[in-house]
């Protein structure tokens, strides 16, 4: 007992008290004391193996909890819009998985107005959204990127040499626009209005990939963010707008959110893919 006390940096009476408490908890005597020595009896010997397993399990539990505390493991929850999800997130999530295999990232898709209440409620750890964001004392908003809006036209309707396209030109074509209700669609409608054009879409969809396929099939023209048009679209031509227009992207977090290692890694990979600095 004295040797054990020294190994544990405890006093001998403290260890003896713990042994007596252990016997009280299990309801059976575990040790025999004779000639100044303490040795396990049959019950004590039977307890050794499960006790060692229990100690190992406790150490594993502590290691897992420490991993979560340091951000090495666990789950981080990101909210973002559909226009950013498909082109942006696959390389981000792959890089996070390579750097931190124990960290899982779940993604919630929605418009800015849908994601912010979930962020404030703690259902999300961070959100990549399109501005504007209503003022809130609970949220920290960092603008990170101006994402230009571009025209996507069927090849048969594209201007010579893929030149700039005006709102009046697009207004004469069948329009396939992203569904109403989000800030990206609001920025598109505002661009048309500044030119005195009221867009009359023949289709409104919530899927950017579906819009691109329909335009490529010659069924209409669209206005989409550059982030969604990083790769060529078969059957379609990407053109700039005249005058130019863009949407602003921002990272939003709760002000009191602890930026642990896992969250910092996720933000850093978003920064690398967007070519900007995410705090």
């Amino acid at each position: 007992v004295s040797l054990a006390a020294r190994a544990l940096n405890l006093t001998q009476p403290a260890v003896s008290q713990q042994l007596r408490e252990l016997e009280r908890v299990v309801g059976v005597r575990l040790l025999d004391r004779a000639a100044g020595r303490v040795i396990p009896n049959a019950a004590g010997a039977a307890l050794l193996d499960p006790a060692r397993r229990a100690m190992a399990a406790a150490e594993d539990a502590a290691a897992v909890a420490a991993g979560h505390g340091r951000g090495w493991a666990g789950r981080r929850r990101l909210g973002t819009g559909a226009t950013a999800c498909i082109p942006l997130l696959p390389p981000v999530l792959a890089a996070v998985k390579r750097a931190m295999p124990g960290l899982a990232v779940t993604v919630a898709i929605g418009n800015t107005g849908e994601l912010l209440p979930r962020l404030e409620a703690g259902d999300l750890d961070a959100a990549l959204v399109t501005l504007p964001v209503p003022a809130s004392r609970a949220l920290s908003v960092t603008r990170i990127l101006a994402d230009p809006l571009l025209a996507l036209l069927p090849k048969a309707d594209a201007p010579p040499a893929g030149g700039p396209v005006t709102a009046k030109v697009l207004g004469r074509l069948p329009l396939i626009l992203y569904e109403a209700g989000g800030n990206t669609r609001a920025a598109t409608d505002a661009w048309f209005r500044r030119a005195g054009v009221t867009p009359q879409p023949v289709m409104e969809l919530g899927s950017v990939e579906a819009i691109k396929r329909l335009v490529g099939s010659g069924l209409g023209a669209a206005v989409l963010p550059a982030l969604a048009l990083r790769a060529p679209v078969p059957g379609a031509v990407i053109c700039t707008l005249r005058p130019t227009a863009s949407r602003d992207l921002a990272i939003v977090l709760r002000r009191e959110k602890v930026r642990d290692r896992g969250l910092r890694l996720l933000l850093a990979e978003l920064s690398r893919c967007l070519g900007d600095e995410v705090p």
Side-chain angles (χ1 to χ4, degrees):
V1 173
S2 298
L3 288 174
R6 284 198 294 271
L8 296 170
N9 293 315
L10 297 173
T11 63
Q12 186 272 333
V15 172
S16 295
Q17 176 60 36
Q18 289 187 24
L19 290 172
R20 287 193 293 272
E21 179 64 14
L22 177 61
E23 289 178 328
R24 186 193 68 79
V25 169
V26 298
V28 64
R29 190 176 184 86
L30 301 173
L31 302 170
D32 287 334
R33 298 165 179 84
R37 297 181 63 219
V38 177
I39 59 174
N41 58 21
L47 183 64
L48 285 176
D49 281 344
R52 291 188 179 106
R53 291 196 297 271
M55 289 295 294
E59 291 171 359
D60 288 344
V64 168
H68 280 263
R70 299 185 184 103
W72 296 341
R75 188 176 300 276
R76 302 297 172 271
R77 301 154 301 173
L78 175 69
T80 188
T83 54
C85 178
I86 293 176
L88 177 65
L89 288 188
V92 169
L93 300 181
V96 169
K97 191 67 176 177
R98 286 194 301 269
M100 206 172 292
L103 185 70
V105 178
T106 58
V107 180
I109 305 300
N111 294 323
T112 300
E114 298 168 339
L115 296 175
L116 295 182
R118 297 185 61 185
L119 189 64
E120 290 195 51
D123 292 337
L124 298 173
D125 297 309
L128 173 64
V129 302
T130 304
L131 295 176
V133 169
S136 170
R137 293 182 179 179
L139 300 178
S140 169
V141 181
T142 303
R143 178 188 175 278
I144 58 170
L145 181 70
D147 187 20
L149 297 179
L150 301 173
L152 186 68
L153 295 90
K155 287 185 176 179
D157 297 317
V165 177
T166 66
K168 293 187 184 299
V169 169
L170 281 178
R172 291 194 291 265
L173 298 173
L175 290 175
I176 305 171
L177 298 182
Y178 193 73
E179 63 185 2
N183 288 349
T184 298
R185 173 62 185 274
T188 301
D189 290 346
W191 178 77
F192 277 106
R193 284 197 304 271
R194 287 193 293 270
V197 176
T198 301
Q200 300 292 335
V202 296
M203 283 184 272
E204 296 177 282
L205 294 92
S207 167
V208 172
E209 293 305 303
I211 293 173
K212 288 156 57 172
R213 284 179 175 269
L214 291 171
V215 173
S217 298
L219 298 179
V223 175
L224 292 172
L227 198 60
L229 296 172
R230 288 184 165 185
V233 178
V237 176
I238 300 170
C239 301
T240 58
L241 300 180
R242 180 186 293 162
T244 60
S246 65
R247 63 170 186 167
D248 290 330
L249 298 182
I251 287 287
V252 186
L253 302 99
R254 295 190 306 281
R255 291 188 185 278
E256 76 278 6
K257 178 65 181 176
V258 176
R259 290 154 176 80
D260 59 26
R261 187 182 175 196
L263 183 55
R264 291 199 306 271
L265 173 64
L266 177 60
L267 295 177
E269 289 302 328
L270 283 171
S271 172
R272 185 182 61 80
C273 285
L274 291 170
D276 211 315
E277 187 65 26
V278 180

